Amino acid sequence: MNTCRPPLAVVVKGWPRLSETFIAQELAALEAAGHALEIWPLRHPTDVKRHPLHTQIKAKVNYLPEYLHEEPERVWQARAVAQQLPKYGEAYEIWRADLRRDPTPNRIRRFGQACVLAAELPDEVLGLYAHFLHTPSSVARYAAIMRGLPWSFSAHAKDIWTSPDWELKEKLSAAHHGADFGATCTGFGARHLQELADTPDRVDLVYHGLDLTRFPPPPERKPRLPYDPIHFMSVGRLVEKKGFDRLIAALALLPTGLDWHWTHIGGGGLSDLLQGMAEDAGIASRITWRGACDQPEVVAAMRTSDVFVLPSRVAADGDRDGLPNVLMEAASQALPMLSTPVSAIPEFIDHGTHGLLSEDSPEALAESLLYAARQPQKLAEMAGAALVRLRTDFGMDPGIAQLSKRLNAMLQGS
């Protein structure tokens, strides 16, 4: 029996996660492209449901200790093994320098998880690949240094915009045991990271794109008339950067004569606050909160809605969306889109051509919502243009080919 383990270790924050279908899509595509991999999550799943896509991935999943005190024997045994590795001292010094600048429990946990990862990685592993440039990349970097292996990352949104520049620069510098290469899913993010890197070619722009084979063709939509009832929908975590507080305020500003309903899909910590806002505004009866849903449920909702709304904004701590895959999913169903010109969203949506981009104030959002309701034919034309753009410029295959090329070069040491 062949017991050889895969050469690529993939470090992720949690697995599986309903809100991170882009990671599952990518890993499934990398397996289809011939990559053998194992997944090393830092956290256990919190979602009750999972997407069908998660079950297609063959990779073995090896959970690291989520909190070091929960598995003390495993952690101490791993620390003893890690200390015998030739470059443990180097990793320890780098971590101590990081800890001086970031003296937090999370930074301590990162090193403990890295010791477990370095101790338990099979000998066959030739490189590490981390999703997200903050915590998962720190764990991958420390472990890679201990083992004398190359590492790489895929960066997305929060991990870019809420990480300190000193840490990003060091993770992007060969002189500091930085990544062999990094990929990020927006031109906006790529330009920022390339400016911080020791050499711009360390960072590639790799759009996630969408695997259209996983989605049904768009439905035949019954034409709406300007004064017909309208069904808005949104998908996204109930967190500050998604802007749903401002959307609720905008919905409350719509004229009383407009017959509308809004459905929200997704979990998140602001659920009680936002539902309270809707009750205080007197619009709770017009809103359905569906909570977390799997992808077939999301697509089914898109096929019966009239306008997809994602009012993204920059949070107080600098966190923001990148290019949310859910916009491409809406486009795949020819569902008209209303969003905001935050981060990389304009890289997919040209205002007035592929959808509407509104400022994120309640007043501006209300005006755009009303326009969407009163101009159904124009919105349908935009949805058609967005579908063409998705199929032409945002398919998944080119990005997977580029990522596969970089991963192969890293694993082959070239």
Side-chain angles (χ1 to χ4, degrees), residues 171-191:
K171 287 176 176 175
L172 292 164
S173 167
H176 291 88
H177 296 279
D180 187 85
F181 78 92
T184 190
C185 53
T186 69
F188 186 69
R191 288 188 293 274

Side-chain angles (χ1 to χ4, degrees), residues 118-194:
E120 296 183 2
L121 278 176
D123 292 339
E124 292 88 349
V125 168
L126 301 177
L128 294 85
Y129 172 55
H131 261 283
F132 292 105
L133 191 44
H134 49 6
T135 304
S137 282
S138 291
V139 174
R141 179 187 178 212
Y142 299 144
I145 295 169
M146 293 180 203
R147 290 288 297 265
L149 296 172
W151 70 280
S152 54
F153 68 83
S154 183
H156 303 291
K158 180 177 182 178
D159 50 329
I160 299 174
W161 304 110
T162 64
S163 296
D165 280 358
W166 66 261
E167 185 165 12
L168 295 178
K169 287 178 180 178
E170 291 184 9
K171 287 176 176 175
L172 292 164
S173 167
H176 291 88
H177 296 279
D180 187 85
F181 78 92
T184 190
C185 53
T186 69
F188 186 69
R191 288 188 293 274
H192 180 68
L193 293 180
Q194 286 166 349

Side-chain angles (χ1 to χ4, degrees), residues 69-286:
H69 66 82
E70 293 177 345
E71 298 184 64
E73 186 174 342
R74 183 184 179 194
V75 172
W76 286 113
Q77 287 179 350
R79 177 81 183 276
V81 172
Q83 286 176 321
Q84 302 307 309
L85 295 171
K87 295 190 177 182
Y88 171 84
E90 228 172 311
Y92 180 79
E93 289 304 319
I94 287 174
W95 169 69
R96 289 290 297 179
D98 291 347
L99 184 63
R100 284 192 290 272
R101 293 171 289 186
D102 176 33
T104 61
N106 183 40
R107 183 67 63 173
I108 296 170
R109 185 167 62 247
R110 294 183 199 189
F111 193 73
Q113 290 174 318
C115 287
V116 175
L117 180 58
E120 296 183 2
L121 278 176
D123 292 339
E124 292 88 349
V125 168
L126 301 177
L128 294 85
Y129 172 55
H131 261 283
F132 292 105
L133 191 44
H134 49 6
T135 304
S137 282
S138 291
V139 174
R141 179 187 178 212
Y142 299 144
I145 295 169
M146 293 180 203
R147 290 288 297 265
L149 296 172
W151 70 280
S152 54
F153 68 83
S154 183
H156 303 291
K158 180 177 182 178
D159 50 329
I160 299 174
W161 304 110
T162 64
S163 296
D165 280 358
W166 66 261
E167 185 165 12
L168 295 178
K169 287 178 180 178
E170 291 184 9
K171 287 176 176 175
L172 292 164
S173 167
H176 291 88
H177 296 279
D180 187 85
F181 78 92
T184 190
C185 53
T186 69
F188 186 69
R191 288 188 293 274
H192 180 68
L193 293 180
Q194 286 166 349
E195 289 172 358
L196 296 174
D198 56 357
T199 173
D201 61 7
R202 196 172 299 281
V203 180
D204 282 357
L205 168 60
V206 178
Y207 286 118
H208 293 305
L210 205 65
D211 180 3
L212 291 170
T213 65
R214 294 191 296 105
F215 292 83
E220 290 291 331
R221 295 184 179 276
K222 181 181 177 181
R224 274 191 68 253
L225 297 177
Y227 291 90
D228 284 347
I230 185 165
H231 184 186
F232 302 112
M233 76 165 288
S234 301
V235 180
R237 290 179 299 127
L238 296 171
V239 295
E240 183 185 1
K241 71 177 179 180
K242 297 296 183 180
F244 293 126
D245 55 336
R246 294 182 182 175
L247 177 57
I248 290 170
L251 290 168
L253 295 175
L254 291 175
T256 56
L258 182 66
D259 186 357
W260 62 268
H261 193 89
W262 177 53
T263 295
H264 176 270
I265 292 176
L270 298 181
S271 177
D272 290 345
L273 175 65
L274 294 174
Q275 290 186 40
M277 282 183 60
E279 290 169 4
D280 292 343
I283 58 174
S285 64
R286 292 174 175 250

Side-chain angles (χ1 to χ4, degrees), residues 334-347:
L335 178 60
M337 296 176 291
L338 164 57
S339 192
T340 54
V342 168
S343 191
I345 291 173
E347 293 177 35

